[in-house]
Amino acid sequence: QFGLFSMPRALVTAGTGFLAHHLIQQLLEKNWEVTATYRGNDSSPKLAWLKHQAQSSSKGSLRLIQRELTNVEVLIDAFEGHAIIFHTAAAVQLGASDVFSEMIDPALEMTRAVFQASVRTASVRKLIFTSSDSAVVENPPLDRVLTESDWNETSTPTHNPYKYMKTVTERELWKLYDAWLESEKENS
C-alpha cells in the first residue's frame, strides 16, 4: 500500500482535540507523515502543543493547516495526497444556547463535507470516522452485549445533547455511505 521508502500519509481533523492529540502522537511514533487541521486562533493554547510536536518530533512529520471543515472543495484540496483521513472533529459547545445551530447542524455539515471530500479525493483510501459509545447507548444494559444494530434512542437535543449529536452524525455517515455504495454498484 505504501512505497518502500515512503511514510504513510494521514490527515487528522481537529488536531487540537483530546482524541486527536493522542492519535497524532501515536502516528508520529510510527513514523507517519501527518497533517492536522485546526480552526480558529493561531495563538490557542491547544495549538501550542501541536506546534511543539511539529518542530520537535524525531519520528514522522507533522504539518498544521487552518481549515474550516464544512467546505467540500477546500477539504478536497487539503485531503489530496493523503491515503487516510481520521475525522475526529465534533461541534462541541457545552452549554450551547441553541443546540441545533451551535452543535447538531454544524456537526452534520462537517460530517457531510468530510465524507463527500473523502470519496471525491483520488488519494484517499480510507475514512476513519471517530464516534463514541454515546451513539450506541446512553446507559449500557447489564443483561446483554451491545451490537452494531444498537443505537442511542434516549438522548435528545435537550437531554444529553452531546450524545444526541454523536448519534445523529454517525447515523448520517452511515446513510451517506450506503447511498454512495449503492451509487458505486449502479455505476460498475
Side-chain angles (χ1 to χ4, degrees), residues 143-162:
D143 60 341
R144 67 182 186 88
V145 175
L146 297 168
T147 71
E148 61 273 0
S149 63
D150 287 297
W151 287 101
N152 178 343
E153 302 287 349
T154 56
S155 294
T156 68
T158 56
H159 172 72
N160 287 329
Y162 172 79

Side-chain angles (χ1 to χ4, degrees), residues 75-140:
L75 289 175
I76 289 171
D77 182 57
F79 289 4
E80 193 56 54
H82 296 86
I84 300 173
I85 307 301
F86 291 93
H87 182 43
T88 67
V92 179
Q93 295 292 331
L94 300 179
S97 59
D98 182 346
V99 173
F100 277 96
S101 69
E102 294 176 54
M103 286 179 60
I104 297 165
D105 293 341
L108 286 167
E109 191 176 356
M110 274 193 291
T111 298
R112 292 176 187 126
V114 167
F115 180 83
Q116 291 302 323
S118 294
V119 298
R120 290 178 49 197
T121 304
S123 63
V124 174
R125 297 288 170 250
K126 188 178 289 188
L127 168 63
I128 299 172
F129 179 86
T130 58
S131 187
S132 168
D133 63 346
S134 298
V136 178
V137 67
E138 184 172 353
N139 297 305

